[in-house]
Amino acid sequence: MPAARRLGTLRGPMKRIVILISGRGSNMQAIVQRCAEQSWPARVVAVIANRPEAEGLAFARERGIATAVVDHRAQASREAFDAALAGAIDGFTPDLVVLAGFMRILGAAFVQRYAGRLLNIHPSLLPAFPGLHTHRRALAAGCKLVGATVHFVTAELDHGPIVMQSAVPVLPGDDEGALAERVLATEHVIYPQAVRWFVQDRLVIESGLVRQLDGASQVLM
Ligand code: GRF
């Protein structure tokens, strides 16, 4: 194949991914690793945190991925934070923005700016248990199944078109930590899978529902 064609093939369809984190960033790490191992037509071009001490930043730096911090504590208002964050993100011209354990609520204008290219993972079977302490609440409710949801982000917290869900059983003696660990292991499978489909243009949103164009299962059980 001529060199020019090879370059075009490599560069043309390459999607640029920016990942936002607040803490350890294990989902971010899973996405970075799968992207490299499976040669996605994509590159994680930046990892941005809202806390300078976010542990995941070190992993990104070691991998040679650009990092940035937009500290919410340094901003006068939520709107100012959203604007500063959008400025940092847009500097990397992403095709996709991935929230991976990003613990700030984003305003409607921010969400609208990235509509259709902003993904989140939430550790519950949405629409059950939006918000915090999902595993504690699932245990208190006597749930027999728990899981995680990858969804496109809308202005409503932890809502939006569902790309993929995982489900695991609640076992006798489980506490919050045990559930979190069991669910997290599935997050590391479904989030990379969902991002991969996005960068391969294999997802469409129709009437608020997400369809995988190859008919692949959007469930992990
Ligand atoms: C995950 O459980 C994710 O679902 C939730 O926050 C946690 C982040 O973990 N939104 P990590 O930072 O990806 O390790």
Side-chain angles (χ1 to χ4, degrees):
M1 193 184 292
R5 173 87 183 282
R6 269 208 313 273
L7 272 181
T9 310
L10 283 174
R11 282 186 184 158
M14 279 305 244
K15 297 260 193 336
R16 298 170 62 83
I17 303 170
V18 167
I19 305 182
L20 308 190
I21 64 169
S22 294
R24 75 191 153 186
S26 68
N27 279 289
M28 173 271 294
Q29 294 182 31
I31 290 166
V32 168
Q33 281 162 348
R34 286 307 97 69
C35 181
E37 287 162 11
Q38 301 175 342
S39 305
W40 298 354
R43 194 157 67 87
V44 177
V45 292
V47 172
I48 302 177
N50 66 306
R51 298 168 58 241
E53 62 275 27
E55 302 89 326
L57 289 171
F59 171 89
R61 288 191 194 109
E62 281 160 21
R63 293 279 174 136
I65 298 169
T67 60
V69 174
V70 181
D71 192 337
H72 61 278
R73 291 162 298 197
Q75 302 295 329
S77 64
R78 277 189 187 278
E79 292 73 25
F81 171 70
D82 284 5
L85 185 61
I89 293 169
D90 291 350
F92 294 102
T93 59
D95 299 289
L96 174 65
V97 179
V98 172
L99 307 180
F102 187 70
M103 302 303 284
R104 301 300 297 174
I105 293 175
L106 298 162
F110 181 97
V111 170
Q112 186 53 42
R113 184 186 191 91
Y114 301 104
R117 55 189 180 112
L118 181 59
L119 288 174
N120 182 44
I121 191 160
H122 183 72
S124 81
L125 290 169
L126 290 175
F129 308 123
L132 295 174
H133 309 304
T134 55
H135 305 304
R136 189 186 309 172
R137 289 155 65 203
L139 280 173
C143 292
K144 308 304 176 212
L145 278 177
V146 293
T149 304
V150 178
H151 65 98
F152 284 98
V153 176
T154 58
E156 200 180 341
L157 179 69
D158 297 327
H159 277 71
I162 292 173
V163 180
M164 192 166 186
Q165 290 187 304
S166 60
V168 293
V170 179
L171 302 176
D174 272 347
D175 60 9
E176 215 178 324
L179 275 194
E181 200 177 315
R182 193 172 307 128
V183 171
L184 187 67
T186 70
E187 295 182 35
H188 296 162
V189 178
I190 65 170
Y191 214 0
Q193 178 63 82
V195 173
R196 183 181 190 180
W197 284 336
F198 183 94
V199 300
Q200 291 175 329
D201 294 323
R202 304 321 292 157
L203 297 176
V204 283
I205 306 176
E206 294 165 336
S207 311
L209 307 180
V210 181
R211 189 159 65 87
Q212 206 285 349
L213 288 172
D214 308 302
S217 174
Q218 292 167 252
V219 174
L220 175 72
M221 292 193 72

